[in-house]
Amino acid sequence: MEAAPVIILVQPQMGENIGAVARAMVNFGLHELRLVAPRDGWPNPQAEAMATHGAEIIRHTKVYDTLTEAVADRHYVVASTARDRRMNKPQFTPPEAMAEMGSQQQQGLKMALVFGPERSGLSNEDIALCHAIVSIPADPAHASLNLAQSVVVLGYEWWQRAASESKKPLHETENPPAEHGEVQGLLDHLEATLDKTYFFKREEKKPRMWQNLRTTLLRARFSSQEIHSLRGMIAALEKGWRKP
Amino acid sequence: MEAAPVIILVQPQMGENIGAVARAMVNFGLHELRLVAPRDGWPNPQAEAMATHGAEIIRHTKVYDTLTEAVADRHYVVASTARDRRMNKPQFTPPEAMAEMGSQQQQGLKMALVFGPERSGLSNEDIALCHAIVSIPADPAHASLNLAQSVVVLGYEWWQRAASESKKPLHETENPPAEHGEVQGLLDHLEATLDKTYFFKREEKKPRMWQNLRTTLLRARFSSQEIHSLRGMIAALEKGWRKP
């Protein structure tokens, strides 16, 4: 289960919740936890106290400043969110998401499952970094699960899938999608270039335009080779703009 | 969703866990919580503090001295346990258990899902009262889930099933199984009679023999009418023994 998805908590607030997440992860064969800007810093004694048999996970938890950095070595990233965000991304039920992640795993790709802060959930900015959304079906009158409880449900579905799946032979795709860090390099390069070329025209329209564009580009799952070509193309276009 | 299963916690230890159970129940359309001999009595301030949007459930939680009393008005009772108990009862995965409970619900039958104390889980004595066992698949190295996390997984599966199931017309079976209280009346009557007739012969062999016998009788899902007939039969047999 080396290639199980890593769990990423963005700006988690309560240490107890971080500990409860680690505890749940152990039950379902999930071993790596990453935190983005935890509110109370790190390490966190409350998290350790709550983790019980997940103490090993807490000991190895890494902390990042931004979600972009936390997913830099990942190929496939799924955001957990209760609300429908009306973004142009696949919206999965938990079994659908795990089937998809299982198929990514078969290709030897590295994955992450991302959870937002307790109160607010993931920002649209964070979700824009992800390839797909998974939502846990629940009573519409109380649709928002506790952070650790969401990890329990998705961990359970991950284990279900991993345990029930017949051992298919691994097959590497010919052109595997690049790690997120490479994609981010492409996006940063493109954004800087578009800024320089006044693509966005009015500054207040940029966030929405750029988010849609990023979503489109992420969905393509470019390979390293493709990203290399695209960046060459962008550089060429940029030079072109300077000429006339 | 009036006929959703009630959740029964047998000898729960931590108030926090009771609260977390209530909180999880609300997300998945489960509304009735029963406690059997909670360690720290009832009401429990820790449970209330942890319940958040499950406060209403905590307010209406009923407490019983024994599991027998807590399931007296139920028709179908499923025990949640991590370990294989080697009892002659159906052993379900969560989706299987919920499919079965859904089909009981269709027949208008009342159900319960029973969870044991945090450390030890349900006793064999308690499981003997149940019609089936459900176990949550997990990493064998860490197969034991936290109490509230078990409720999360089974609640989630319950909601999944209830939400996805096409609205089939309700149909009452001609001879619905009796409530558990009636079955218990039969069992008590039978046990007293067997004691009087020295059926068990050696006192130290009785627990095992009687447990097997109860398991067999529970599995039959007798109707009220059948229980009435059986008790008449037992009474007749008892009188018969006195005659010779």
Side-chain angles (χ1 to χ4, degrees):
Chain A
M1 205 69 65
E2 229 189 335
V6 306
I7 301 296
I8 302 179
L9 309 183
V10 177
Q11 294 165 32
Q13 301 175 322
M14 309 279 291
E16 290 86 341
N17 286 336
I18 303 172
V21 165
R23 188 178 60 189
M25 287 171 63
V26 172
N27 292 123
F28 298 119
L30 300 169
H31 300 297
E32 189 177 339
L33 178 62
R34 300 178 180 185
L35 304 179
V36 174
R39 185 190 65 185
D40 298 338
W42 196 255
N44 181 322
Q46 271 86 32
E48 283 160 38
M50 196 69 171
T52 65
H53 54 262
E56 189 72 11
I57 290 180
I58 294 292
R59 245 192 310 282
H60 292 99
T61 296
K62 276 169 251 148
V63 176
Y64 300 81
D65 288 333
T66 64
L67 180 58
T68 304
E69 294 164 71
V71 298
D73 68 340
R74 299 289 102 184
H75 298 96
Y76 189 69
V77 183
V78 176
S80 168
T81 162
R83 287 177 290 139
D84 174 11
R85 304 304 186 108
R86 306 193 171 282
M87 286 195 193
N88 191 11
K89 291 180 190 287
Q91 296 241 0
F92 291 133
T93 65
E96 288 167 354
M98 297 310 144
E100 180 59 36
M101 293 186 100
S103 120
Q104 305 283 332
Q105 187 195 34
Q106 298 279 325
Q107 297 166 42
L109 301 180
K110 288 177 283 179
M111 300 167 293
L113 257 172
V114 183
F115 298 82
E118 284 90 335
R119 261 156 216 274
S120 50
L122 288 168
S123 68
N124 286 345
E125 190 65 18
D126 287 336
I127 295 177
L129 278 171
C130 303
H131 298 93
I133 291 170
V134 58
S135 298
I136 298 172
D139 189 337
H142 298 280
S144 182
L145 269 75
N146 164 271
L147 174 56
Q149 296 184 341
S150 299
V151 175
V152 168
V153 168
L154 296 181
Y156 159 76
E157 285 285 11
W158 169 255
W159 183 263
Q160 285 259 87
R161 186 214 56 75
S164 69
E165 191 166 78
S166 58
K167 305 294 171 232
K168 295 177 206 144
L170 278 176
H171 66 95
E172 305 273 333
T173 51
E174 213 158 313
N175 247 328
E179 291 183 1
H180 213 299
E182 282 186 80
V183 180
Q184 191 63 41
L186 168 68
L187 294 176
D188 291 346
H189 185 175
L190 181 61
E191 184 181 10
T193 309
L194 293 177
D195 276 339
K196 271 193 268 181
T197 59
Y198 301 99
F199 168 79
F200 297 112
K201 294 188 185 87
R202 300 233 305 277
E203 195 56 32
E204 70 272 20
K205 289 211 171 168
K206 176 178 167 183
R208 189 75 194 156
M209 287 171 75
W210 180 230
Q211 186 173 292
N212 291 339
L213 200 52
R214 278 191 301 172
T215 296
T216 307
L217 292 171
L218 265 178
R219 208 172 46 246
R221 315 278 321 269
F222 297 123
S223 68
S224 291
Q225 179 54 47
E226 288 168 331
I227 287 176
H228 186 78
S229 307
L230 286 167
R231 294 189 64 165
M233 195 188 75
I234 294 167
L237 286 173
E238 192 194 352
K239 274 198 203 140
W241 269 94
R242 274 206 228 99
K243 239 186 257 164
Chain B
M1 205 70 63
E2 229 189 335
V6 305
I7 300 296
I8 302 178
L9 308 182
V10 176
Q11 293 164 30
Q13 300 174 324
M14 309 277 291
E16 290 85 342
N17 286 337
I18 302 171
V21 164
R23 188 178 60 189
M25 288 171 63
V26 172
N27 292 123
F28 299 120
L30 301 168
H31 301 296
E32 189 177 339
L33 178 62
R34 301 178 179 185
L35 305 178
V36 175
R39 185 191 66 186
D40 299 337
W42 196 255
N44 181 322
Q46 271 86 33
E48 283 161 38
M50 196 70 170
T52 64
H53 54 262
E56 189 71 12
I57 289 180
I58 293 293
R59 243 192 314 281
H60 291 99
T61 296
K62 277 169 249 149
V63 175
Y64 300 80
D65 289 334
T66 65
L67 181 58
T68 304
E69 293 164 72
V71 297
D73 68 340
R74 300 289 102 186
H75 298 97
Y76 189 69
V77 182
V78 176
S80 168
T81 163
R83 288 176 290 139
D84 175 10
R85 305 304 186 107
R86 305 193 173 283
M87 287 195 192
N88 191 12
K89 290 180 190 290
Q91 296 240 1
F92 292 132
T93 64
E96 288 167 353
M98 296 311 144
E100 180 59 36
M101 293 185 100
S103 119
Q104 305 284 333
Q105 187 195 33
Q106 299 279 325
Q107 296 165 44
L109 302 179
K110 289 178 283 177
M111 301 168 292
L113 258 172
V114 183
F115 299 82
E118 283 91 335
R119 263 155 215 275
S120 51
L122 287 168
S123 67
N124 285 347
E125 190 65 18
D126 286 336
I127 295 177
L129 277 173
C130 303
H131 297 93
I133 291 170
V134 59
S135 298
I136 298 171
D139 190 337
H142 298 280
S144 182
L145 268 75
N146 163 272
L147 174 56
Q149 296 184 341
S150 299
V151 175
V152 168
V153 169
L154 296 181
Y156 159 76
E157 285 285 11
W158 169 255
W159 183 263
Q160 285 258 87
R161 186 215 55 75
S164 70
E165 192 166 77
S166 58
K167 304 293 170 235
K168 295 177 207 142
L170 277 176
H171 65 95
E172 303 276 333
T173 51
E174 215 158 312
N175 248 329
E179 292 184 0
H180 213 300
E182 282 186 79
V183 181
Q184 191 62 43
L186 167 69
L187 294 174
D188 290 346
H189 185 176
L190 181 61
E191 183 181 11
T193 309
L194 293 176
D195 276 339
K196 271 194 267 183
T197 58
Y198 300 100
F199 169 79
F200 297 113
K201 294 188 184 91
R202 301 233 305 277
E203 194 58 31
E204 71 272 21
K205 289 210 172 169
K206 176 179 167 183
R208 189 77 194 156
M209 286 171 74
W210 180 229
Q211 186 172 293
N212 291 341
L213 200 52
R214 277 191 303 172
T215 295
T216 308
L217 293 172
L218 265 180
R219 210 172 44 246
R221 317 277 323 269
F222 297 123
S223 68
S224 290
Q225 179 54 46
E226 287 167 335
I227 286 175
H228 186 78
S229 306
L230 287 166
R231 293 190 66 166
M233 194 187 77
I234 294 166
L237 287 171
E238 193 194 349
K239 273 200 203 133
W241 269 95
R242 274 206 229 101
K243 239 188 258 162

